[in-house]
Amino acid sequence: MPERIPLRGRAPRRALAAATAITLFVAGLGLYLFQPWRAFTTTTVDEALPAPAATTAVLVAPTTAASTLTMPAPQSPTGPAAPPSAAAGPVDLARGRFVSGEHETTGTARLVRLADGSTVLRLESLSTSEGPDVRVYLSTRPASESRLDDLGAGSIELDRLKGNRGNQNYVLPAGVDLAVVRSAVIWCKRFSVGFGAADLAAVAG
């Protein structure tokens, strides 16, 4: 019978294949978590401050019976009064400038009460870094703490950061207690670190 040749090369090949698979998995996981290419990308957003919805006039067809016609009520000499919400317009409640945390961050944060009674956090002239899972928060901590790694109890997540440059709005959920809000924070949720934050000081009425 022919002599059998031991297959000594199979074990090293299997070990090499396993090591290669593990290396590729770790590299892929690292790319997913850290997304290093975002250090070289920019997303610019330019949103206007939300305006109140325009009212729509409703036309009513006249009735066919002459006896049912009614004359419109006379208007005041000064003309019809504007709706209170439209007259009020947006009002600044608080504002502050961003200070850098883990990344250089500049711009202004404003808490604005809109004519319809809702409140938005408006970021203006924002400039920060892109990153993985970056979000916008309201914090109960001052910016000196929240810009680093401490959002504090009762922090409120508003939304994912729309862009690392420009002007953008984030609607506050109903019922937010603005009395406990101290700062607006650009926060990387995946790694629990602040890119930057702005103290929100009340605007004198």
Side-chain angles (χ1 to χ4, degrees):
M1 296 182 63
E3 183 180 357
R4 296 185 63 184
I5 300 176
L7 301 176
R8 295 178 181 177
R10 285 189 176 179
R13 289 177 182 175
R14 288 176 180 172
L16 179 60
T20 301
I22 293 173
T23 300
L24 291 175
F25 173 78
V26 171
L29 182 62
L31 288 173
Y32 169 75
L33 291 175
F34 293 96
Q35 300 180 8
W37 60 87
R38 286 186 175 269
F40 308 100
T41 61
T42 295
T43 301
T44 301
V45 177
D46 188 13
E47 294 181 335
L49 190 66
T55 56
T56 303
V58 179
L59 299 178
V60 180
T63 58
T64 55
S67 59
T68 61
L69 291 176
T70 57
M71 297 297 292
Q75 294 183 350
S76 167
T78 57
S85 60
V91 177
D92 273 24
L93 304 178
R95 65 165 57 216
R97 298 192 65 82
F98 276 97
V99 291
S100 300
E102 287 294 319
H103 295 268
E104 183 177 358
T105 302
T106 58
T108 302
R110 298 167 55 197
L111 281 177
V112 183
R113 176 70 46 78
L114 302 179
D116 62 4
S118 62
T119 304
V120 298
L121 173 68
R122 179 164 173 81
L123 309 182
E124 294 182 328
S125 302
L126 177 68
S127 178
T128 188
S129 298
E130 286 209 298
D133 201 19
V134 181
R135 308 195 180 208
V136 180
Y137 278 81
L138 294 177
S139 173
T140 58
R141 302 278 189 181
S144 59
E145 299 174 15
S146 61
R147 69 189 176 93
L148 296 175
D149 56 4
D150 189 4
L151 282 173
S155 61
I156 302 165
E157 180 181 329
L158 299 182
D159 204 345
R160 289 182 179 272
L161 184 67
K162 299 175 182 179
N164 64 313
R165 300 285 177 88
N167 309 306
Q168 45 208 279
N169 307 304
Y170 298 87
V171 179
L172 272 62
V176 172
D177 184 4
L178 297 180
V180 301
V181 172
R182 299 287 301 279
S183 61
V185 191
I186 309 301
W187 182 262
C188 179
K189 189 174 183 179
R190 182 167 298 165
F191 296 105
S192 297
V193 65
F195 280 26
D199 282 319
L200 293 171
V203 175

